[in-house]
C-alpha cells in the first residue's frame, strides 16, 4: 500500500522526467518513476531516435536508472503521459517491469493533472512469464 507522500513523490518525479522526454517524432512525451525496495525513486523518459525502432520507452529508462543505482525490486511505478486518454504501459514494458517485480506491483497512470488510474501488474500482464520459470 502506497502512502500519500509516496504517491505525491512518484507523480512529481514522473512528471519531471517527462519534461526531459526526447520525443520529437511522436510528440508523445512519457515519464516513469519507480519506487524500489529501499524506498528510493528512479525516473526516466522515453527517448526516441531518427531511426524509429531504436527509440525506447520511459519505463526502460527508469528501470535502467534503478538497476544502476543498486535497486533490486520495483514496488510501484507511475507512468505519466499527456492525457486526456489515460496512458497505459506498452506490452513490452509490462514484461520488462515483471523482471523486477511480482504480480502485486502497483502500476499508476497519470497526466499533468494528476493520477488517473491504478492497476496491479497481474491485472495488466496475467499468467506472466518471469525469472522463477528459469529456476532449476
Ligand atoms: N511510450 C512509453 O514511453 N511508454 C509506454 O508505455 C507507452 C509508449 C512511448 C514510446 C514512444 O516514444 C511514444 O511513447 C509513442 O508511442
Amino acid at each position: 500500500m502506497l502512502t500519500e507522500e509516496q504517491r505525491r513523490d512518484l507523480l512529481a518525479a514522473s512528471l519531471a522526467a517527462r519534461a526531459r522526454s526526447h520525443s520529437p517524432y511522436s510528440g508523445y512525451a512519457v515519464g516513469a518513476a519507480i519506487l524500489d525496495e529501499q524506498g528510493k525513486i528512479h525516473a526516466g523518459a522515453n527517448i526516441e531516435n531518427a531511426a524509429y525502432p531504436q527509440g525506447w520507452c520511459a519505463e526502460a529508462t527508469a528501470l535502467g536508472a534503478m538497476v544502476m543505482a543498486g535497486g533490486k525490486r520495483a514496488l510501484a511505478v507511475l507512468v505519466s503521459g499527456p492525457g486526456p486518454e489515460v496512458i497505459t504501459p506498452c506490452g513490452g514494458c509490462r514484461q520488462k517491469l515483471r523482471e523486477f517485480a511480482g504480480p502485486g506491483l502497483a502500476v499508476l497512470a497519470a497526466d499533468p493533472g494528476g493520477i488517473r488510474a491504478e492497476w496491479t501488474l497481474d491485472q495488466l500482464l496475467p499468467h506472466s512469464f518471469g525469472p522463477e520459470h528459469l529456476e532449476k
Side-chain angles (χ1 to χ4, degrees):
M1 194 63 188
L2 291 171
T3 66
E4 275 310 310
E5 185 184 11
Q6 286 172 325
R7 296 164 76 89
R8 199 181 56 229
D9 291 349
L10 281 166
L11 179 61
S14 183
L15 291 175
R18 182 173 179 268
R20 296 194 164 159
S21 164
H22 176 72
S23 46
Y25 307 108
S26 73
Y28 191 87
V30 182
I34 297 172
L35 178 70
D36 75 11
E37 83 288 353
Q38 303 170 44
K40 293 183 187 153
I41 289 177
H42 312 278
N46 55 332
I47 300 178
E48 298 182 348
N49 192 284
Y52 293 176
Q54 298 305 323
W56 65 89
C57 288
E59 295 91 326
T61 307
L63 277 170
M66 182 189 86
V67 172
M68 289 302 95
K72 304 289 182 206
R73 299 288 290 172
L75 304 184
V77 58
L78 189 150
V79 184
S80 57
E85 184 76 18
V86 176
I87 190 169
T88 178
C90 80
C93 286
R94 296 175 191 199
Q95 184 64 39
K96 286 186 178 77
L97 289 164
R98 174 67 176 83
E99 184 68 17
F100 300 97
L105 172 75
V107 182
L108 288 75
D111 60 34
I115 295 170
R116 302 297 183 208
E118 188 168 345
W119 309 274
T120 62
L121 183 60
D122 195 48
Q123 287 177 300
L124 299 179
L125 191 69
H127 310 290
S128 63
F129 185 87
E132 312 78 41
H133 287 88
L134 301 184
E135 282 169 11
K136 299 206 171 75

